[in-house]
């Protein structure tokens, strides 16, 4: 049995190839593949990412439409991530693989193609999985905390067209970059967030966090990496070092949230992005009022938010 009015989401972030189907405002199927990274490497070259996405997309499409439950002929629109952020000049070559794939499907089936940022997809996925989507029908605050981005955003939701204004976050390396560098130093598999999270659960000693440099809702993380490296080189337990790292990041996010609330009042705050699947960081932030999170599954890179945005855009057309 084939569902009607299916909407396809396509996302090719730097490390994950993702496809998702939605219908009637709900995700009905999604498939993902993490791109392989060589042992000891701290990321992928963009040329390698484009190649790996290009190779993975048809294989994932076959998995998505592997039986008669969902038919390509029932697609009513395709949504694709075309850039990291909604900002002038925001660009990464890895998204070209997704654009090419999505454009081919849209043109061959004569259905609309809708373009979104990777960041908008994250925010939409977080809204859908937050457990309280009604909180985000108007203006709200959001943190996008991932490998490439750590930003605080003032979001104007105009019928699911998001207008983003950056109001805080890091002014140097992103939280995800610091986490991955720390994990690679400990010889953990890249991306390192999940393995480092599991390691931190074994911590038995609290290392002093100290204070990160802050300026209102903005903060610096380069000093955090230096402190982590010093703890490791001095022989501290890696589990304690991991817990120190996540405690420090959670403190920075809490301070940034409090600074934003001085300006914007108690608007709901939505936390999205891969780093927000971390157990310790979520536990600390949950002590704040009026905060919400993407589910752990939809914190990491996915095409679900893009598929949902595609359906919203098609309904407005």
């Amino acid at each position: 049995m084939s569902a009607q009015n299916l909407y396809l989401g396509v996302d090719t972030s730097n490390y994950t190839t993702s496809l998702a189907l939605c219908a009637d405002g709900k995700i009905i199927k999604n498939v993902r593949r993490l791109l392989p990274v060589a042992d000891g490497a701290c990321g992928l070259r963009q040329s390698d990412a484009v190649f790996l996405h290009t190779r993975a997309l048809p294989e994932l499409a076959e998995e998505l439409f592997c039986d008669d439950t969902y038919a390509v002929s029932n697609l009513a629109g395709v949504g694709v991530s075309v850039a990291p952020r909604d900002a002038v000049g925001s660009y990464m070559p890895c998204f070209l693989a997704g654009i090419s794939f999505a454009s081919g499907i849209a043109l061959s089936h004569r259905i609309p193609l809708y373009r979104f940022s990777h960041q908008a997809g994250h925010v939409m996925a977080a809204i859908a999985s937050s457990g309280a989507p009604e909180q985000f029908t108007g203006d709200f605050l959001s943190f996008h905390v991932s490998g490439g981005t750590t930003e605080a955003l003032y979001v104007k939701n105009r019928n699911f067209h998001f207008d983003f204004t950056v109001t805080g976050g890091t002014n140097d390396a992103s939280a995800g970059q610091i986490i991955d560098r720390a994990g690679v130093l400990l010889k953990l598999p890249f991306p390192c967030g999940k393995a480092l999270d599991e390691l931190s659960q074994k911590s038995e000693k609290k290392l002093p966090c100290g204070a990160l440099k802050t300026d209102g809702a903005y903060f610096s993380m380069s000093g955090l990496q230096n402190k982590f490296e010093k703890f490791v080189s001095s022989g501290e337990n890696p589990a304690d070092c991991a817990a120190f790292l996540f405690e420090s990041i959670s403190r920075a996010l809490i301070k940034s949230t409090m600074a934003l609330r001085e300006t914007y009042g108690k608007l709901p705050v939505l936390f999205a992005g891969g780093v927000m699947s971390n157990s310790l960081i979520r536990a600390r932030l949950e002590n704040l009022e009026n905060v919400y999170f993407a589910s752990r599954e939809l914190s990491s890179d996915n095409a679900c938010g893009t598929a949902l945005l595609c359906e919203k855009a098609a309904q407005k057309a």
Side-chain angles (χ1 to χ4, degrees):
M1 181 177 66
S2 296
Q4 298 297 315
N5 293 328
L6 299 177
Y7 297 89
L8 174 66
V10 181
D11 186 89
T12 50
S13 70
N14 210 30
Y15 302 114
T16 306
T17 314
S18 309
L19 298 176
L21 285 175
C22 82
D24 298 324
K26 296 180 180 180
I27 296 299
I28 54 178
K29 189 173 183 180
N30 80 94
V31 292
R32 287 179 257 180
R33 179 176 298 179
L34 195 64
L35 302 186
V37 178
D39 291 344
C42 198
L44 286 169
R45 293 184 302 177
Q46 282 290 297
S47 58
D48 293 334
V50 171
F51 168 75
L52 292 167
H53 284 307
T54 301
R55 187 172 68 179
L57 281 164
E59 296 172 357
L60 286 177
E62 185 175 357
E63 183 180 346
L64 193 68
F65 297 105
C66 62
D67 54 38
D68 293 333
T69 305
Y70 308 114
V72 178
S73 59
N74 289 113
L75 287 176
V78 183
V80 60
S81 301
V82 299
R85 301 163 55 243
D86 287 281
V88 176
S90 181
Y91 168 76
M92 287 182 75
C94 59
F95 292 104
L96 293 173
I99 295 169
S100 177
F101 178 81
S103 298
I105 291 178
L107 288 169
S108 63
H109 289 82
R110 299 188 177 187
I111 55 178
L113 176 68
Y114 300 98
R115 297 167 179 256
F116 309 100
S117 71
H118 177 70
Q119 187 170 73
H122 264 300
V123 170
M124 186 65 197
I127 290 173
S129 61
S130 66
E134 69 279 358
Q135 294 288 332
F136 305 102
T137 56
D139 297 355
F140 61 93
L141 298 169
S142 181
F143 281 83
H144 178 197
V145 190
S146 67
T149 305
T150 298
E151 290 182 336
L153 305 163
Y154 174 68
V155 187
K156 293 181 179 179
N157 183 355
R158 299 298 179 258
N159 195 18
F160 293 95
H161 171 78
F162 300 131
D163 181 8
F164 295 116
T165 301
V166 179
T167 57
T170 60
N171 46 31
D172 51 13
S174 72
Q177 285 177 319
I178 299 298
I179 290 169
D180 284 331
R181 291 170 187 171
V184 168
L185 182 65
L186 297 178
K187 303 188 184 306
L188 298 175
F190 186 95
C192 306
K194 183 178 179 180
L196 205 61
D197 188 357
E198 293 172 354
L199 181 62
S200 72
Q201 305 306 310
K202 302 174 184 177
S203 175
E204 297 179 351
K205 173 185 174 183
K206 188 171 184 178
L207 299 176
C209 286
L212 296 178
K213 293 182 180 179
T214 60
D215 181 11
Y218 289 89
F219 48 90
S220 171
M221 288 211 157
S222 56
L224 178 56
Q225 180 179 344
N226 295 334
K227 286 196 69 174
F228 181 90
E229 292 173 353
K230 287 180 180 179
F231 281 138
V232 172
S233 63
S234 66
E236 293 289 355
N237 186 327
D240 296 330
C241 295
F244 151 79
L245 184 68
F246 296 133
E247 285 280 8
S248 299
I249 293 171
S250 66
R251 287 190 179 193
L253 293 173
I254 288 170
K255 286 185 177 181
S256 184
T257 301
M258 293 174 67
L260 290 173
R261 289 230 158 115
E262 291 180 3
T263 302
Y264 296 100
K266 290 190 176 181
L267 285 177
V269 182
L270 181 70
F271 290 93
V275 173
M276 298 318 305
S277 63
N278 178 266
S279 305
L280 191 153
I281 295 175
R282 287 174 75 107
R284 298 294 181 266
L285 290 169
E286 283 172 351
N287 292 321
L288 300 175
E289 294 182 16
N290 206 20
V291 298
Y292 303 86
F293 301 85
S295 67
R296 281 183 168 81
E297 180 190 5
L298 296 189
S299 292
S300 57
D301 288 342
N302 64 84
C304 297
T306 304
L308 292 166
L309 286 172
C310 175
E311 183 177 25
K312 294 290 186 183
Q315 291 170 346
K316 291 185 289 185

